[in-house]
Each structure stands twice: as C-alpha cells, then as structure tokens.
Amino acid sequence: MTTPHVDARRLNVKGLLIAVGLPVVLVGALVATLLGTGAFSRDSDLEDSSMWLWTTPAGEIARVNGLTAATDVRFELTDAAGNAVQIEQTDSHLLLREIATGKVSAIDLSTLELTGEAETAPGEGVRLALSDDGAFIIDQTQGLVNQVDPSTLTAIGDPLQFPAGLTGGAFDSLGKLWVGVPREGTIVQIEPKESGAKTIATEVVAEPRQELALTVLGDGVAVLNSTAKKMTTLRSDGRKSVTDVELAGPAETADTSPGTIASVTVTDPPSIVTVNDEQAKSFAIGAAPSNLLGASVEFHQRIYVPDGASGLVWVYDLDGNELDRIEIDAGGGPVELYHTGDTLFANAVNTNAAVVVSADGNARSAEKDRDDILGGNAPPEEETGGDEGDEEGDDESAPEIGPPGAVTNLGGTVGDGLINLSWDAAPNNGSALTKYVVEGAGQTWEVAPDQRVLEIGDLENGTPYTFTVTAHNAEGEGDTATSPSIVPSAEVPDPVGGVEATANNDGTVTVKWDEANGQGNDVSGYQVEAIASGTQSVVGQSDGTTFVVPEGALHYGTQYAFQVTTLSGAAASAPSAPSNSVTPFNVPEPPTDLLAESSSSAAGTIDVSWAQPSNNGRDITKYIVRAGTQTQEVAGNTTTASLSGFGNNEQVAVSVTAVNEAGESAPAETTSNTMSTPTIQISGHDATAEQINLHLTFDDGGGDATCELLMDGVPQSSAACPGTYAVTNLNASTEYSMQVRISNPAGNSTSSTYTASTKTVNGQIYFGCEEGMNTDYCDSADGIAVYSTSNNNGNSIGKTHSGDSHKAYCWTTGESVDVRGQEGDGYHDYHPGKNASDKWIKIDYASNAYVPFVWINIDGADKNSTGDLPQC
C-alpha cells in the first residue's frame, strides 16, 4: 500500500489532507484574514521553507516556517470538521479536492481568488498533481490522466487513457509526471504541454497485474513490486537497477521522497527496507506493529519513520543504527511527513504538535496553536474523554495469535495459453498476512497479501493444471488449499459490454452488464473483479447479468471500477472495459469518546461531547443527540451539544448517533446526572492572631459553586469555593460565630454554625511607680488609666496596675505618650527600655477599652513590638 502526499519539495503544501467546508468558504476566510497583511508576500525569501499543516480537532490550518520552526499564521476554517481535502500548492497556485464530493477548486495565491472549479468522482481514487510546469487530475481508478490549466481547471488536450487501477502520480524535479500501470507492469513518464500531455517514456518494471507502488525520488523513481519482492530504480541518467527485497509483511511507501534512496516501511513485523540501486538493506526498528506506522523517507542520509501509536518519529542511519527518537504528541492519530526545500516536517493531524527537522538532523518543536500571531487567540481544544475503566482490554477475550488459516474459493478462469487464478483472503488469526505462496505448472510465485489474483501464462492449451496457495504471516504458514483441475483453451467467449456500477446506501454495490456473445461456447456465468488504485481482486461470480458486491467486501470511501469476465466452463473472455467509478458507503460508525456530564453553569442541563467517527464513505451531515425525552440535532461539523429542561440531580440516559446519506449509525450511549443543590460543612479550622482558616467539606452538585461567609448571620464576602476559606482582618483573642453558604445555579444551602477563636495574645501592664519609685508624679498617680478611645481625654473608664495581665485584641494609633523626661523633681524613666509611642492597645477591660502601648508589654514580643497583634 502506498501512503500518498509525502513530498512538498519546492511547494508550500503538497498533498496535505485537511478537513474544510466549501472551497469558496476557505477563499473568503483567507482573503479576510490574510490579504493585505503581507502573509502571502511574493517577495518572501522564506516562502520555499514554509508549510501549511492541518489540525483536525481545531479545524484550522497553520503555516509553519521551516527556517525558524515558528508558526506565523493560523486560522480556523468555517465548517471545517470532517471533510478530507487534498491540497496541492506551488508559489502561485493552490488546488483543493474535497475527497467526499470530488469537487476540485483552484485558487490564485497572488490574489487569493477562486479561479476555477471541476468535478471528479467522489472518494479516494483521484489524485491531483501540481508543479510549476503543469497540473493534472489523475483518475487512478479509471486509468485517466487529465492535464488541466492550474488556474481554470479546464482540460488541456485529450486525457491519456491507461488500464484501470493506476498507482502514484507525482512530479519529479524536472517537471515530469510519473504514473504506475500495474495491469501492464509498466511505469510511464508524462510531460505537460500546451496542446496536452504526452507520454514520453514507458518502462517495463514487472509482469502484468502485479502489485506495484511508485515513489518519485530526488533522483529518478523507485517501483516496489510486492508480488515479486523486487525494487526497480530508474535514475534520471537512464540507469536501471532491479534488486530483490525482503518484505516480511505489509508495506507502506511514500509517493515521493527527498533523497536518492528508496525506503519502505514494513508495518508487521516492524522493519525498514532501503534500496540504493543494486544495494538493498533491511533492518528491524523499535516500533510496535501498528496501523499508525507510516511511510518512511530518506532525508540527508537518515531514515525517518513516523509512528503515531507511540508519538515518535524514529530516526536511523543507513546501516539501521538508531540515532534519535523525535517526540511528537500524536493524540492517537497519524504522524505525516512532508518536505519542502531542505526541510522535513512531521505533523500530528490530531493535535497542535509539529516538528521541523533541518538538514543536519536538528529537530525543533513547532506548535501550531500559537496565540501571538495572525489568527491566534483561538479557543482551546476541547478535552474528550471516555470511561476510564475501559482502557485495559479483556485478556480473556483477546484472540489467540497463530499462523493463518487456509484460503477459500480457489479457482481460475482460462484463456489462450493462460490461467487467471484467484482466491478469497485467508483468516490472518491475529497476525497480519505477509504473502501468499502459489505453486503449480512447475513454478512458484510469492504474491502480496492484498493481491489474490495471479495471471499465469505460457501454458499448454488442453493440458490440465492444478495450483496450491498457502498464506503466510509472522507466526508461520497456514494450511495449503488446492485448486480444481484447470485447462487453458483458445475457445473463449466475447467480453461483455455496458458494465455499470451503483453504490447502494446499505454498503453494497450493484454491478450490471449486457449479456455476452459466447461465440459458439456456452456462457456459464460471469466473474466480477473490483479495481482500485494499484490493486484488483475478484469479488464474486454471477449466473446472470447482475452481481451485488456484499456489504463490507470493499473499503468505504475508496473509488472502485469493475470489470466483468465472461465464463464458459473454465474458459474466460478478456476482461470487459471498466465500469464507471463508484465509492461504496454505509451508515457511519458510532461516535467515539462520548462524554456526558452535568452543565457547570446551568441547572437541569447536560453537556455532551464526542469524537467524530469514520463516516464510511459519505459526509456526516448531522448528529442526533438524545437525552431523556429531549432530542437535538447538530451539524455534522459539530461535536458538542447541551440539552436542558431536566430536574435537579436527575439521571439521564444519553445517546449520540451520526447521520450520513446512508442513514443513522448505531448509537454511542452513556448516562449523566444533572446538577444538584450543593451542600457544605465546616469540618475544622486553624487560626492566627488575625485570621481563621475554615476547612470546608462540600459537594458543588456538579455546578460552578460560590461560597459566601456569614458572621453572626450577616453576609460578609463571597468567592469560588475553596478547600480552605480564609477569614481575615480579625481581632486576636476573639471568638467568632460563622457559617458558609454555598450556591450554584440549582440552589443553595448553608452550613451549621461554627464557633472558632483567633489566637490569644496576652499583655502585661508595667508602671514604674508601683515598683517603689518616689516622685511627685508617682505620689499623685494610682495605676494606669483605661480609656474608651485611643487618647488621654481626662475621662478614664477605670484603672489597671503593674503586673495585671490582659487579653489584647488589636492596636491602633492615637495620642503619643512618653515614658520618661525632666520633671520638677528631676529626670525619671517610668518604663526602662520602652520607647515613646502613639500606639494604643485594645484590651479585655470593657467593650471598648484602650491603654497606651508604652504601659503594656506583649507576651513573647520585644518591648517595643506588638508582635502578632493585628491592627484594629
């Protein structure tokens, strides 16, 4: 299998698959966002080092500069979720193809105007190719190569017709297009011209109908023949090399690769095969088997292997020594490699992560969601989740892994000196098939696991032949199946005409054709073969002129054409001309990662989110969200909904289904409770002299809760509910009666009354006269006066004496008092070491009772310090 869209070379974007709405919407968004900003400056020296990268969850494109590894532009595309689009771009033109609809749009990058539109068959199977020298729309399924004007998309000349089921379709560095023709075993070089494309070279690289994958290299092309386990390289100077390669399992190859060495990723067991002309090497890699292990490329004498399952790009030298592991948050999705100029880009389409790799192997992170750029400040990606308990699999239900089973329906049709052998796939028994081994007529063939068709020629008419087929995987070989006796014959019927295919909304495809002329031979039936890009397989036989390909037999979303072979006993006609292209489809898969939870901002409301499932060949037009008695429909590019009207703390069953042209998917289901009235209790506290920290135990009821402090029933302050509520600006040595009221949109409740005290701070009165001082002042004084305010107003409320201890509440400022000075009978110091002060201490003498700080010492503090005592 080939992995398309790897190379950008001198382009800003090459073969990037994104999700976008109508191209006209994209153009409008680009013009509104970028025109006039210089973002598309034609004078930019960095243009050839930039790459547009897609982020699926955010539905946006970000342009990453390859020299600075910085994202310099990003924007969200209107209605961008779910529709895969192929992008081809040069410095002056942009081509978009919506995969689901087949619509192609052309945009002039100098003006950002929509300049042309074209229609192609929907689904995978049509490829765009664009260079400075020309543009092509390649219908791989039908075998048509159409040169078009890159601005208007109007056809230039007549299309080139090849046998159905092409592979590849990319430009080389000289501006020539390369396409593989597996049914002929050839590759062709095509040159765009003003009068229409011309085939300028055809090279035989394989026997007809073998499985081929074409990679355009920095110098020449490489063709992997998975059937014969060979690699053919053809260089720009005409040198041709054919080399045996080790393919132990399914292979992934890139459509283009920047280096001169061809690299193949074997996904199971994971390994890399490299070919440099006659030199082939194979080495194991550290990745685990995975369908997220992508096509590798050689870049400056290093092999880069994208691995979405582990979130890594593995880096090896040409001898298979591991050099680096570049980490990239893949988010459970694929990591795609692109290159432009002298820069390699790794893009995780499921996240905002990207990596830029320079020629010397230096890898730099390039986050696509920067906010300090044009188009920034986008909302954060929504988190998705599921049932945490489902992460681990059920060991008891895991299938036992072993060698494959036997193939079924092994048989063949015959022609003049040839037999077309075919069979149905063998069960892989938990380990991917690596090959089929076919034996018979004194020969042995190894056939790629996706092929299951083998044309055997140079046989004797009238001679019976039998063949055996054995499936292999990493665990060994399966049971051998033996064909019935098959006799080649020159007596064959005519092929049928008028083959038509129709994709049905139940996942089936109906194929119809005209009755064939047996040319004197009895027509015993018809064999139907499905053709996709680079592959073909027999899907069934019919006694009449209609055949229905069963549901699930073909890949949804992939284009197929069909050929019908007339059967006369074991004899067979040549295949018919291919049918029209159709894209099989079915109802979508159920939505994934369904999460339903009570709304935190609205009572009686449930917020629902999910991840987009596989659309199975047709756009998802809407989702139907059902919760209790409520039903809500949302657009197919939306993955959230809110449903309201429920009671408090009501348990609600929630389901979400996806809808496309075929109908409604099976539901994804879960349950959720709506918001309830919150509850709260004060479970304890700790305190300082001026603060009490209330320890709260509460249930916010699933909503955004606010807590309000009540002192003696009077509201004081409110805040988002913390685990500890700090009650501040309190007096020391004081008991307080408190409650906390919690509220959310569903209601409120109040804790029981809680009594707590601040830290007790004591002070001791000191007055020197009471220690025997004999002065005129002492003879007239009787202790220290206590006042109702912080000044000596002549109206004391009582007396306190040296040695008396009092609880201190707080301090304030007032009249300044000195403790020493020259009097009529001499100089006296009534409180040694104490400084004059305007501070007054509130004490527990009466409800409002103050004494000068100069006459009291706070326990545990310096004489001139109030210690922990707060200010009043």
Side-chain angles (χ1 to χ4, degrees), residues 32-303:
T33 308
L34 300 176
L35 196 57
T37 68
F40 277 91
S41 170
R42 302 288 296 150
D43 297 326
S44 172
D45 292 334
L46 305 181
E47 189 72 3
D48 284 351
S49 295
S50 295
M51 178 74 71
W52 288 102
L53 300 178
W54 172 247
T55 304
T56 300
E60 69 176 23
I61 290 177
R63 189 176 69 177
V64 177
N65 186 300
L67 298 183
T68 64
T71 302
D72 52 28
V73 181
R74 59 183 278 234
F75 57 89
E76 184 177 358
L77 302 182
T78 305
D79 298 330
N83 301 325
V85 172
Q86 181 188 355
I87 295 183
E88 295 283 330
Q89 183 177 345
T90 64
D91 289 344
S92 56
H93 291 95
L94 175 71
L95 300 184
L96 303 170
R97 179 175 179 267
E98 296 182 54
I99 304 300
T101 65
K103 182 177 182 180
V104 181
S105 301
I107 298 168
D108 186 332
L109 285 179
S110 63
T111 62
L112 293 179
E113 293 180 347
L114 180 66
T115 57
E117 291 183 320
E119 298 294 333
T120 66
E124 295 284 358
V126 171
R127 177 171 173 78
L128 306 178
L130 179 65
S131 79
D132 293 332
D133 300 302
F136 285 89
I137 298 176
I138 305 160
D139 190 328
Q140 297 172 315
T141 306
Q142 289 291 328
L144 294 172
V145 178
N146 301 270
Q147 184 179 348
V148 295
D149 184 287
S151 296
T152 64
L153 297 179
T154 55
I156 299 177
D158 294 329
L160 301 179
Q161 177 70 69
F162 300 95
L166 303 180
T167 184
F171 279 98
D172 62 20
S173 59
L174 301 178
K176 305 301 189 293
L177 181 74
W178 288 90
V179 175
V181 189
R183 295 181 75 85
E184 292 183 341
T186 61
I187 58 174
V188 295
Q189 187 183 36
I190 299 169
E191 184 176 17
K193 291 183 173 292
E194 291 184 359
S195 59
K198 301 296 182 183
T199 299
I200 59 176
T202 299
E203 188 74 28
V204 176
V205 294
E207 295 295 327
R209 297 173 66 94
Q210 293 184 330
E211 184 175 0
L212 306 180
L214 174 65
T215 300
V216 175
L217 302 174
D219 175 25
V221 295
V223 183
L224 175 66
N225 184 336
S226 296
T227 303
K229 305 294 191 297
K230 294 181 182 295
M231 176 78 82
T232 301
T233 55
L234 184 65
R235 300 300 182 182
S236 56
D237 61 5
R239 289 180 294 118
K240 180 179 179 181
S241 304
V242 181
T243 306
D244 292 331
V245 294
E246 297 180 19
L247 290 181
E252 294 283 345
T253 60
D255 276 343
T256 60
S257 183
T260 60
I261 296 174
S263 179
V264 179
T265 302
V266 178
T267 59
D268 186 8
S271 60
I272 297 296
V273 177
T274 63
V275 174
N276 187 8
D277 295 334
E278 293 88 359
Q279 185 179 15
K281 293 183 179 180
S282 178
F283 57 86
I285 59 176
S290 168
N291 60 2
L292 294 179
L293 193 59
S296 55
V297 298
E298 182 261 321
F299 179 67
H300 286 280
Q301 302 294 298
R302 297 179 181 89
I303 304 297

Side-chain angles (χ1 to χ4, degrees), residues 742-781:
I742 187 171
S743 303
N744 71 11
N748 65 77
S749 63
T750 304
S751 71
S752 56
T753 301
Y754 187 86
T755 300
S757 298
T758 52
K759 177 183 175 182
T760 298
V761 177
N762 292 311
Q764 190 173 51
I765 302 297
Y766 180 88
F767 182 45
C769 290
E770 295 185 353
E771 295 190 359
M773 295 187 68
N774 184 15
T775 69
D776 290 345
Y777 177 73
C778 288
D779 290 343
S780 63

Side-chain angles (χ1 to χ4, degrees), residues 592-641:
T592 60
D593 296 334
L594 177 62
L595 177 65
E597 55 188 353
S598 61
S599 168
S600 61
S601 60
T605 300
I606 293 174
D607 292 335
V608 186
S609 66
W610 58 93
Q612 181 178 337
S614 171
N615 63 21
N616 281 345
R618 291 293 187 272
D619 283 350
I620 294 174
T621 57
K622 66 181 178 180
Y623 293 97
I624 302 176
V625 186
R626 299 176 175 91
T629 59
Q630 307 291 328
T631 299
Q632 185 179 131
E633 295 185 359
V634 300
N637 61 348
T638 302
T639 55
T640 61

Side-chain angles (χ1 to χ4, degrees), residues 286-349:
S290 168
N291 60 2
L292 294 179
L293 193 59
S296 55
V297 298
E298 182 261 321
F299 179 67
H300 286 280
Q301 302 294 298
R302 297 179 181 89
I303 304 297
Y304 292 82
V305 189
D307 182 4
S310 63
L312 294 173
V313 176
W314 302 82
V315 186
Y316 296 88
D317 67 16
L318 299 183
D319 292 323
N321 300 306
E322 184 180 323
L323 300 178
D324 196 6
R325 298 182 185 185
I326 302 172
E327 295 185 1
I328 183 169
D329 178 15
V335 175
E336 299 174 346
L337 298 183
Y338 312 94
H339 56 91
T340 178
D342 210 18
T343 308
L344 184 71
F345 294 80
N347 181 44
V349 298

